[in-house]
Amino acid sequence: MHALEAFDLILVLLALVFCLHWVALKLKWLPATVLLIGGGLIAFTPGLPIIELDPELALALFLPPLLVDGAINTALGRFRYHLRGILSLAVGAIVFTTLIVGVVTHWLVPSLPWAACFALGAVVSPPDAVSARAVLKGVTLPRRLTTLLEGESLLNDATGLILFRFAVAAALTGAFSLTDAVWDFSILAVGGVAVGAAIGLAWLFVVKRLDDRMLIIGLNLTLCWVAYLAAEAVHVSGVIAVVVAGLIQGWYQHEVVPAAVRLQGRGAGELMSFVLEAMVFMLIGFSLRGVIERMGQDGGVDPAMGWVVLGVVGAVTVARFVWVFGADAVMVVAHRLGLKREPLGWRQATVLSWAGMRGVVTLAIALTVPLELPGRDLILISAFAVIFVTVIVQGCSLGWLIRLVKPVDLEPAAEVSMAQAELAMARAKLEVVEAFAYAPDGTLLHPQMLEMHTRRTQYMETYAENAEQELENMQPQFDASLEAVGAARAVLLGLHRTGQIEDEVLHSLERDLDVEEMTIFFQRSE
């Protein structure tokens, strides 16, 4: 394909992404589902070239920015508190699923070598960070479940990739050592942590010394790729390196990145994440055509393979339920023995078991399967089946399941609510203003400023006592404030359109109005 044709195709894909996303919003469907189906249908359009998704490029291009976005926004305190549960899902559940899928596959296809069966299990075992992000945007979950799912999606890709490499090596060489595998796994994981920490600390050192907003935003956006490629270059886990670097960036960004830069950078990051996330699901659908044609069966799938694929999909689903409910049963026993192990309960365990969507990582791993590996066709079609079933069936029904089982948030609320935190900030501001408002001899120099902050603090004291009722009472004020901002913007644009103010004045005052409007929207949505 010519370079200009490739560029045209990228623009067409972007246009399709926006169109399909709009369709999903109108139909009130999960955008990931519509993009996945739309990409699969469009891929078989006559005359359209086959889009080959290079697996190494897919992992390097899509995974780091979407992983780091989740890491930056991770609640680090809850992440540490639930680390045992996260590792149970990100390591234990992945290993267990790989074994179960391998056993089921070998039972259905006895002629397939064990190592190839476990390679298939490693391909379909890790739930995907991109799919999890896409689905979690549309549902409301208890904080513990959200933390477990987000934490799992950050770490489990590394487990699946490592297991796949071991399984393929064993299938091709016929040799496997559990001791060597555990040692190599430890080296990859610890090395990824070390590289990620080094890159994160280097980011912290550099960003403190930058005063140009474009340089800071550019550095923040490219940090994920630097961490991933640096880790892969020294043959350790790039996924873990990205997560560790992202956690460091998320923890320190509030201290070292100026507010204006953080606001502008957040917008750029959200746009990049939206485009990459949507393109992932489109390209997964597009890749289906190439996979079917590569299977060399006249564009179709062997009907006898259908039962095996169904068995793999069923094994993936059942294995997660068995692991989650089994682990929760262990926590119930530990809790009754007096240990600090709070079980999930069947409601949360059911939702957690069902929220195991697969995506770009499963596809990328499947496409790297060597041509000489036995059962390669089965691995490819099974990977696509698992992605489609989990994203479309589980993703679309997750909201319905949550409404059905009504998982209860058993995690204790934070000691300080949002309203109380706002009150503490208002008092801190008032303390500074009081010191500034008076001269050394006690003369009041800035009465209006002092009165404004005093009234603000007094109101916050009332608001903190009954935040929900006060917020409801303020809704008409929010609506009026938004209308006032709209009127001010109309006047500003009128002055600019008639040539009475310069462009610089328009941009400066419009930015003030945008910040004011954003503040009102934020307060109204609390």
Side-chain angles (χ1 to χ4, degrees):
M1 185 184 297
H2 191 272
L4 188 57
E5 293 177 344
F7 180 68
D8 291 340
L9 184 58
I10 291 174
L11 292 181
V12 171
L13 286 178
L14 285 175
L16 289 173
V17 162
F18 293 126
C19 290
L20 290 173
H21 188 81
W22 177 82
V23 169
L25 294 178
K26 288 297 182 182
L27 296 176
K28 296 182 179 180
W29 287 8
L30 188 69
T33 301
V34 177
L35 290 165
L36 193 62
I37 297 174
L41 295 176
I42 296 169
F44 290 93
T45 302
L48 192 69
I50 297 176
I51 299 179
E52 294 288 345
L53 184 62
D54 182 85
E56 296 296 334
L57 177 61
L59 287 176
L61 176 62
F62 294 110
L63 196 57
L66 298 175
L67 275 175
V68 82
D69 186 59
I72 289 174
N73 295 297
T74 294
L76 194 56
R78 291 205 300 270
F79 182 88
R80 287 198 303 262
Y81 183 78
H82 294 297
L83 183 59
R84 186 181 288 104
I86 291 172
L87 291 177
S88 171
L89 292 169
V91 179
I94 302 304
V95 174
F96 181 74
T97 303
T98 299
L99 294 175
I100 294 299
V101 172
V103 171
V104 170
T105 303
H106 193 267
W107 175 64
L108 293 171
V109 190
S111 60
L112 194 64
W114 276 104
C117 295
F118 291 133
L120 170 56
V123 168
V124 299
S125 61
D128 186 52
V130 181
S131 299
R133 279 167 43 87
V135 172
L136 290 177
K137 286 178 182 177
V139 299
T140 301
L141 290 174
R143 288 165 295 173
R144 184 179 181 183
L145 278 186
T146 301
T147 303
L148 289 174
L149 287 170
E150 290 178 347
E152 176 195 15
S153 68
L154 291 176
L155 300 178
N156 60 12
D157 294 336
T159 307
L161 285 166
I162 294 170
L163 289 177
F164 173 73
R165 292 174 184 172
F166 291 153
V168 169
L172 296 179
T173 64
F176 176 76
S177 170
L178 181 60
T179 303
D180 291 343
V182 172
W183 173 254
D184 291 343
F185 185 94
S186 302
I187 293 297
L188 289 170
V190 174
V193 172
V195 171
I199 297 297
L201 293 176
W203 167 84
L204 182 61
F205 177 83
V206 173
V207 80
K208 283 181 177 179
R209 289 157 179 78
L210 294 177
D211 53 9
D212 182 84
R213 62 178 181 175
M214 288 295 105
L215 289 177
I216 297 175
I217 293 173
L219 180 63
N220 290 345
L221 293 178
T222 56
L223 174 70
C224 58
W225 285 298
V226 173
Y228 183 85
L229 295 176
E232 291 295 319
V234 295
H235 306 294
V236 296
S237 175
V239 172
I240 294 178
V242 171
V243 171
V244 172
L247 291 174
I248 293 174
Q249 183 182 1
W251 183 260
Y252 287 104
Q253 65 168 335
H254 312 287
E255 302 174 16
V256 299
V257 178
V261 177
R262 192 163 54 249
L263 284 173
Q264 188 173 358
R266 184 179 296 122
E270 288 177 353
L271 176 61
M272 183 179 72
S273 296
F274 167 77
V275 172
L276 290 177
E277 184 179 294
M279 290 290 286
V280 163
F281 291 105
M282 280 287 293
L283 291 174
I284 288 175
F286 265 84
S287 298
L288 179 59
R289 175 182 170 186
V291 168
I292 290 179
E293 294 187 0
R294 260 200 313 274
M295 291 176 64
Q297 296 181 4
D298 299 325
V301 180
D302 183 3
M305 192 182 293
W307 293 107
V308 182
V309 173
L310 286 176
V312 171
V313 174
V316 168
T317 305
V318 172
R320 184 172 178 88
F321 271 89
V322 172
W323 180 267
V324 171
F325 275 89
D328 198 49
V330 172
M331 285 192 288
V332 170
V333 174
H335 185 68
R336 290 178 178 176
L337 293 176
L339 300 178
K340 292 183 179 180
R341 298 288 186 275
E342 189 67 36
L344 289 169
W346 72 269
R347 299 176 188 274
Q348 292 199 47
T350 300
V351 174
L352 184 62
S353 301
W354 193 243
M357 290 67 65
R358 272 65 174 178
V360 63
V361 174
T362 292
L363 174 64
I365 298 176
L367 293 177
T368 62
V369 175
L371 292 173
E372 62 272 21
L373 186 73
R376 183 175 186 271
D377 291 349
L378 175 61
I379 293 176
L380 288 174
I381 198 65
S382 296
F384 268 98
V386 169
I387 292 172
F388 270 77
V389 170
T390 56
V391 172
I392 294 175
V393 177
Q394 294 183 347
C396 289
S397 60
L398 185 59
W400 170 82
L401 181 66
I402 292 171
R403 292 189 294 272
L404 178 66
V405 303
K406 296 181 175 63
V408 180
D409 195 345
L410 301 175
E411 191 169 285
E415 296 181 4
V416 178
S417 66
M418 180 180 290
Q420 292 170 330
E422 289 179 316
L423 174 58
M425 291 190 298
R427 286 172 173 168
K429 289 180 182 179
L430 179 60
E431 184 177 345
V432 173
V433 170
E434 284 177 338
F436 173 77
Y438 291 94
D441 61 357
T443 304
L444 181 59
L445 301 177
H446 305 283
Q448 292 181 337
M449 185 179 185
L450 179 61
E451 181 185 3
M452 180 183 69
H453 281 273
T454 300
R455 291 175 58 188
R456 170 69 177 171
T457 304
Q458 290 173 346
Y459 168 74
M460 288 308 305
E461 290 173 349
T462 303
Y463 174 72
E465 293 177 0
N466 192 358
E468 186 174 345
Q469 183 62 43
E470 287 293 326
L471 193 60
E472 183 178 346
N473 295 337
M474 289 178 63
Q475 291 301 323
Q477 298 181 37
F478 291 144
D479 295 336
S481 298
L482 288 174
E483 188 174 344
V485 170
R489 181 175 283 108
V491 170
L492 179 64
L493 291 176
L495 293 173
H496 178 262
R497 298 297 185 261
T498 56
Q500 299 181 64
I501 58 174
E502 298 290 344
D503 288 352
E504 292 80 1
V505 176
L506 168 69
H507 295 154
S508 178
L509 295 180
E510 186 181 38
R511 184 168 56 249
D512 294 342
L513 289 174
D514 289 343
V515 172
E516 183 179 354
E517 183 176 336
M518 184 176 62
T519 302
I520 296 170
F521 271 116
F522 174 75
Q523 291 175 339
R524 190 170 68 170
S525 62
E526 286 182 354

